[in-house]
Amino acid sequence: MKCEEVIQALQQQAEEKYACDWDNVGLLVGSRRKEVKKIYIALDATDEAVQEAVTVGADLLLTHHPLIFRGMKRITDEDFIGRRIMAMIKADLSYYAMHTNFDVMGMADLAAEKLKLNHCVPLEVTCMEEGNEQGIGRVGELEKMVSLAECCQRVKSAFELSQVAVFGKLDQSVKRVALCPGSGKSTVQNALEAGADVYITGDIDHHTGIDAVSCKMAVIDAGHYGIEHIFIQYMKQFINKHMPDIEAVAQMRMEPFQIL
């Protein structure tokens, strides 16, 4: 398939129009006319991801987070972004990113399904589609009231995590859940206004966590990568289903940091 055809297929999942204004999604490196036979999927275009994509002979690198966020005045080997872009061009490796468009049209529902949330609505509405609200994150309910400790175990099981950070009393009861995969600090107020008993997200700092508890809302920080790594296997299955002639290679689970 031509890269242009691959892009059209990927947009069946999440059209680029759903991305936030500040975001940078789509084809970031390479030609739409390139023939694509193998796609390498990762969460981030790290040095390791670029090298692994080259090593396996991929024609396209697909990531959730875009490597290029802002305008660049030069592409050199003097910074890590330039080095990665140069490595892609040298290997004739095209690069496509699905970020907030996938957050809106994939990630939130996928994460909510894993947690078995019911009656879900967007946490932060970003657009309207045929009269329906679309947006970042979800607010829903567990099938029954559980303790915060039990909810933590559910999160760990759903996303295959060894630990989570939790703000709140472990014996308190929770049922209404706000969920924002990735970095959720900016939507804490949305979660509070939605009446959530617990907010499940990543990248929560000390003050944000304790302030949320002061407002009667517990917080479970499952990590930015901890929830969003589900993008990798989901997109591998999507490619296998919708583009069976293309080989999809998923990056192995690779936590960005270690806890000692």
Side-chain angles (χ1 to χ4, degrees):
M1 295 176 68
K2 295 294 185 182
C3 184
E4 176 65 35
E5 297 173 300
V6 172
I7 292 172
Q8 291 175 0
L10 292 174
Q11 292 208 68
Q12 293 178 30
Q13 170 63 53
E15 292 186 56
E16 294 171 17
K17 69 178 183 179
Y18 292 110
C20 296
D21 293 340
W22 52 263
D23 204 3
N24 189 33
V25 303
L27 185 66
L28 304 185
V29 176
S31 170
R32 293 176 181 271
R33 298 184 298 276
K34 177 180 174 59
E35 190 71 25
V36 176
K37 297 181 180 178
K38 183 181 291 189
I39 298 175
Y40 186 84
I41 310 163
L43 195 69
D44 298 277
T46 60
D47 291 332
E48 293 82 4
V50 173
Q51 184 55 57
E52 289 163 5
V54 172
T55 299
V56 302
D59 304 295
L60 177 70
L61 170 61
L62 172 64
T63 71
H64 179 49
H65 299 131
L67 176 64
I68 306 169
F69 263 111
R70 304 173 184 85
M72 300 179 66
K73 294 185 177 181
R74 58 182 62 85
I75 305 296
T76 73
D77 62 358
E78 295 177 359
D79 66 82
F80 72 94
I81 296 178
R83 287 195 297 272
R84 293 173 192 173
I85 294 172
M86 290 174 65
M88 292 180 201
I89 294 172
K90 181 178 179 180
D92 193 23
L93 175 67
S94 293
Y95 171 44
Y96 189 85
M98 302 171 69
H99 190 209
T100 51
N101 54 322
F102 185 81
D103 285 336
V104 172
M105 302 302 291
M107 186 76 81
D109 284 332
L110 180 60
E113 289 171 8
K114 287 184 174 293
L115 289 171
K116 296 182 171 60
L117 297 184
N118 302 310
H119 314 300
C120 291
V121 296
L123 173 63
E124 179 185 13
V125 176
T126 57
C127 63
M128 296 290 291
E129 180 70 12
E130 298 180 353
N132 296 317
E133 294 179 337
Q134 303 289 353
I136 302 291
R138 292 293 181 267
V139 179
E141 294 189 350
L142 301 171
E143 69 278 4
K144 64 178 182 178
M145 195 79 72
V146 300
S147 69
L148 180 58
E150 291 173 308
C151 190
C152 288
Q153 290 301 322
R154 178 178 293 213
V155 172
K156 289 168 62 177
S157 176
F159 301 106
E160 301 177 12
L161 305 174
S162 58
Q163 70 277 315
V164 295
V166 57
F167 295 86
K169 296 180 179 180
L170 295 179
D171 60 352
Q172 72 185 82
S173 297
V174 299
K175 184 176 183 182
R176 187 162 176 79
V177 176
L179 167 68
C180 184
S183 182
K185 181 177 178 178
S186 65
T187 48
V188 168
Q189 187 60 39
N190 300 71
L192 288 168
E193 292 173 359
D197 300 314
V198 60
Y199 182 38
I200 302 169
T201 186
D203 295 346
I204 294 297
D205 60 57
H206 170 78
H207 292 288
T208 301
I210 63 174
D211 289 349
V213 172
S214 297
C215 296
K216 311 302 181 185
M217 183 177 72
V219 177
I220 298 174
D221 188 332
H224 198 131
Y225 185 92
I227 297 178
E228 289 196 328
H229 72 83
I230 58 179
F231 167 85
I232 299 172
Q233 287 300 325
Y234 178 85
M235 289 309 303
K236 183 177 189 298
Q237 295 170 11
F238 180 89
I239 292 168
N240 289 340
K241 178 180 179 180
H242 295 276
M243 293 172 270
D245 293 334
I246 291 182
E247 181 182 354
V249 180
Q251 186 181 51
M252 293 181 61
R253 183 78 174 267
M254 187 178 295
E255 301 289 346
F257 59 86
Q258 299 178 62
I259 297 177
L260 302 180

